Amino acid sequence: MITKQLAEEIVEQTMIRLNRNLNVMDTNGIILASGETERIEKIHEGAAQVAKTGETLSIAEDDLTEWQGVKPGVNMPIYFQGKLVGVIGITGNPEELKEISTLVQLTTEMMVHQSLITSHIEWNRKRNELIFEELTSGKPLSAAVHERISQMGLDGKISYTTLLIELKKTPSPSQRIVEQVEGHFHSQTVVAGHSQLNEIFLLAANEKPAELEEKLYTLLHFLQKTAPGRIGVGVAVNSIFDVRTSYLAARNALEFGKPDQQLIYFEDVELMALLKRNPQDDLAKFTGRVLTGLNEPLCQTLTQYFACNKNHAETAAQLMIHRHTLSYRLKKIKDITGLDPSEFQDAVVLHLALTIRK
């Protein structure tokens, strides 16, 4: 059904080009919009007849007595996807309107199609965002979402992976980015939309790890050209009702991944996420106890040492110091903390303390 707002837009845009009065009527023959504003919301019996028969009706001067609320002109049905949604009428001598009437009908149907398709897409997007919001809220799902999940066939035993795409800035138009992101996953996309202003979510189904990674790198390459950002990848779950677990994992990936890291899997930050769930006071006590006495240069040395997998030559090269200087610093760290960076167990404690401190 054509809305009043759409009818007004059709009349305004078409009359500018046509220089003739137009009326747009609903399927009951009520005039929704017209260049002659006094006729709005009145019955147009000719339009009602067109809506009933689905056929164009021309009304000449001699025919006015047969119809109520009409003027000479041509009234044509408007279809959308094979269904009659309204009537468009052009005021004037039907003989003079023969050449332009079909063009006006075609143009109107194109405008209706564009508007209704856009509205349908927007409605679907909002519905998807509502479904995702409920799935990840941790609260019981509404009956409407349960029904929609069943209609979409998502309650079967297949795997789902949540992707959170954090954009550096809001792209314009942002909705186009969502559509392009969906396009990278084709039929594997379950739902997609905005979870936050600068963040897009996508729930993908049945993606194999290797294929998923390939698509993600392709997507990152695309984003660098349009809306630079990074992607947090959640764990795969085997039920749509466990999507919250995948979502929280993707959220942790973004939260605990390095700022300059573009693709972050939850597995990369899982240990840090587990540790960060402890009270901050306890974490501060741990890092304070382990690292007390170490100045910033020694902490930087230790960080680089672990980044180089405890390789002395590589660490010294990265720090641009002599290997003897590195050995001296590592010994000093051992003397201060009582922990030997070269020993596995001690290195784990030092590494965790440095990581949590950041």
Side-chain angles (χ1 to χ4, degrees):
M1 184 70 69
I2 293 178
T3 64
K4 185 174 179 60
Q5 180 180 1
L6 176 56
E8 290 172 349
E9 183 180 350
I10 291 171
V11 169
E12 180 182 355
Q13 294 298 322
T14 309
M15 284 185 60
I16 291 174
R17 297 163 177 80
L18 199 61
N19 199 27
R20 288 180 179 271
N21 178 63
L22 259 76
N23 304 312
V24 175
M25 286 73 68
D26 65 15
T27 53
N28 295 312
I30 302 297
I31 299 176
L32 299 174
S34 172
E36 299 170 343
T37 56
E38 68 276 6
R39 302 180 67 186
I40 295 174
E41 296 186 0
K42 294 182 179 179
I43 187 72
H44 189 298
E45 287 190 350
Q49 177 67 13
V50 172
K52 182 179 179 180
T53 64
E55 297 180 357
T56 296
L57 175 66
S58 295
I59 300 176
E61 285 282 353
D62 297 341
D63 303 322
L64 296 182
T65 56
E66 298 180 26
W67 309 98
Q68 178 184 342
V70 305
K71 289 187 177 183
V74 179
N75 300 280
M76 300 160 286
I78 304 170
Y79 288 95
F80 173 70
Q81 295 182 343
K83 183 179 179 181
L84 189 138
V85 294
V87 178
I88 180 78
I90 315 174
T91 304
N93 186 330
E95 290 298 321
E96 297 176 0
L97 299 174
K98 283 183 178 179
E99 293 185 5
I100 63 170
S101 59
T102 302
L103 180 60
V104 169
Q105 182 185 29
L106 177 61
T107 303
T108 302
E109 288 187 340
M110 289 175 62
M111 292 178 68
V112 169
H113 183 274
Q114 180 63 39
S115 177
L116 295 184
I117 284 292
T118 301
S119 298
H120 182 68
I121 290 172
E122 289 176 354
W123 184 85
N124 275 336
R125 188 77 61 202
K126 290 178 181 178
R127 180 200 60 191
N128 288 347
E129 291 175 356
L130 174 63
I131 290 173
F132 189 77
E133 182 179 346
E134 285 204 23
L135 285 171
T136 58
S137 69
K139 299 177 182 178
L141 300 182
S142 66
V145 169
H146 266 294
E147 182 180 357
R148 183 56 189 163
I149 286 173
S150 179
Q151 290 174 349
M152 295 172 70
L154 303 178
D155 47 0
K157 289 290 183 180
I158 58 177
S159 66
Y160 299 93
T161 304
T162 301
L163 310 176
L164 292 180
I165 304 166
E166 182 184 79
L167 306 175
K168 290 183 179 179
K169 60 181 180 179
T170 304
S172 180
S174 60
Q175 191 52 54
R176 179 60 178 155
I177 294 294
V178 175
E179 294 169 2
Q180 290 170 326
V181 167
E182 284 182 294
H184 280 270
F185 292 85
H186 308 296
S187 59
Q188 302 306 103
T189 298
V190 177
V191 290
H194 285 280
S195 48
Q196 295 180 19
L197 181 62
N198 289 345
E199 185 178 275
I200 294 170
F201 72 81
L202 185 139
L203 185 62
N206 282 339
E207 282 285 4
K208 297 178 181 178
E211 294 176 358
L212 175 61
E213 185 171 20
E214 182 178 351
K215 289 179 180 178
L216 289 174
Y217 276 115
T218 303
L219 177 57
L220 278 170
H221 180 70
F222 160 75
L223 289 175
Q224 293 311 306
K225 299 178 180 178
T226 55
R230 57 191 194 131
I231 303 174
V233 185
V235 295
V237 294
N238 294 321
S239 169
I240 191 70
F241 303 109
D242 293 330
V243 163
R244 176 174 166 81
T245 299
S246 181
Y247 165 75
L248 291 176
R251 173 69 58 214
N252 280 325
L254 287 179
E255 182 177 352
F256 300 116
K258 297 177 182 178
D260 59 347
Q261 192 175 354
Q262 291 184 316
L263 182 58
I264 313 146
Y265 288 86
F266 172 68
E267 291 85 348
D268 298 337
V269 300
E270 186 171 10
L271 179 59
M272 178 57 62
L274 290 171
L275 290 170
K276 285 289 188 178
R277 292 194 182 111
N278 286 296
Q280 287 299 313
D281 287 347
D282 291 346
L283 294 175
K285 288 176 183 177
F286 170 68
T287 57
R289 176 176 58 79
V290 173
L291 302 177
T292 295
L294 296 185
N295 57 27
E296 195 57 35
L298 289 179
C299 287
Q300 290 177 358
T301 298
L302 201 52
T303 299
Q304 190 62 55
Y305 180 62
F306 292 139
C308 294
N309 201 25
K310 301 196 297 182
N311 184 299
H312 283 237
E314 187 177 345
T315 304
Q318 289 293 328
L319 293 172
M320 294 186 288
I321 60 175
H322 196 278
R323 289 184 62 178
H324 292 317
T325 303
L326 174 61
S327 297
Y328 169 78
R329 290 184 183 180
L330 294 175
K331 182 179 183 304
K332 189 172 183 180
I333 290 170
K334 179 181 177 182
D335 292 341
I336 293 172
T337 64
L339 298 170
D340 187 349
S342 65
E343 294 293 331
F344 176 76
Q345 295 291 347
D346 290 353
V348 169
V349 174
L350 288 166
H351 180 61
L352 287 176
L354 285 168
T355 305
I356 293 172
R357 186 192 69 150
K358 295 177 182 178

